[in-house]
Amino acid sequence: MTVSQSMYGLMVVTLEPDRVAPAVLSSIDVYRDRKTTGRGPEGKLNLKAQNLAIFLQIADGLDDETWLFHLKNGDIAHWFRDVIKDLELALQAELMGRDDVNAEESRKHIGSEIEQRYILAA
């Protein structure tokens, strides 16, 4: 995003096209019908994240077993790729799911990736 002033004294904001849609996706419920649902390996939970902000809250509160289940099953990467439309974030989730990382480490890494891309960019 660049901010400049026009010759008429108006502030002109130019947004980078590749950052506009993802920033919007992280703050509103654009995909009301395409939420990610968090059910653990035994199907006990039914948590829904409509956007990345809610995803981060849910991820922080999930038990380690459920988090790792979804990470290793590719559910998180799938949601990032197909709903959020962020291929780089999806790749990071896939790589975390392939590695032998613990829940805390992988949550921190993915949370940091989201913050760098969306929260700091917004």
Side-chain angles (χ1 to χ4, degrees), residues 15-29:
L15 299 173
E16 299 170 17
D18 61 332
R19 298 304 264 175
V20 175
V24 171
L25 289 176
S26 68
S27 61
I28 60 174
D29 291 343

Side-chain angles (χ1 to χ4, degrees), residues 32-49:
R32 287 189 177 95
D33 60 334
R34 297 187 72 194
K35 304 169 182 122
T36 187
T37 303
R39 290 188 189 271
E42 297 174 14
K44 292 181 180 178
L45 300 175
N46 188 20
L47 304 173
K48 294 180 176 145

Side-chain angles (χ1 to χ4, degrees), residues 103-117:
E104 182 181 350
E105 184 182 332
S106 59
R107 257 193 289 259
K108 273 185 177 178
H109 180 77
I110 290 174
S112 175
E113 292 289 331
I114 290 170
E115 288 176 3
Q116 288 175 2
R117 286 177 168 74

Side-chain angles (χ1 to χ4, degrees), residues 1-118:
M1 173 172 70
T2 58
V3 180
S4 60
Q5 194 168 12
S6 75
M7 66 179 168
Y8 301 107
L10 299 173
M11 185 169 38
V12 177
V13 178
T14 305
L15 299 173
E16 299 170 17
D18 61 332
R19 298 304 264 175
V20 175
V24 171
L25 289 176
S26 68
S27 61
I28 60 174
D29 291 343
V30 173
Y31 292 103
R32 287 189 177 95
D33 60 334
R34 297 187 72 194
K35 304 169 182 122
T36 187
T37 303
R39 290 188 189 271
E42 297 174 14
K44 292 181 180 178
L45 300 175
N46 188 20
L47 304 173
K48 294 180 176 145
Q50 295 88 356
N51 57 53
L52 288 169
I54 294 173
F55 172 84
L56 288 174
Q57 290 177 347
I58 290 173
D60 190 44
L62 278 179
D63 61 279
D64 292 351
E65 182 184 14
T66 301
W67 170 260
L68 290 173
F69 172 78
H70 285 289
L71 183 66
K72 296 201 177 284
N73 197 40
D75 300 331
I76 296 169
H78 178 270
W79 188 65
F80 289 159
R81 183 184 310 97
D82 297 342
V83 177
I84 301 300
K85 306 287 187 204
D86 188 327
L87 300 178
E88 292 176 29
L89 189 57
L91 178 61
Q92 289 298 317
E94 283 178 21
L95 294 173
M96 286 273 101
R98 291 180 193 161
D99 287 345
D100 189 26
V101 296
N102 64 39
E104 182 181 350
E105 184 182 332
S106 59
R107 257 193 289 259
K108 273 185 177 178
H109 180 77
I110 290 174
S112 175
E113 292 289 331
I114 290 170
E115 288 176 3
Q116 288 175 2
R117 286 177 168 74
Y118 298 97

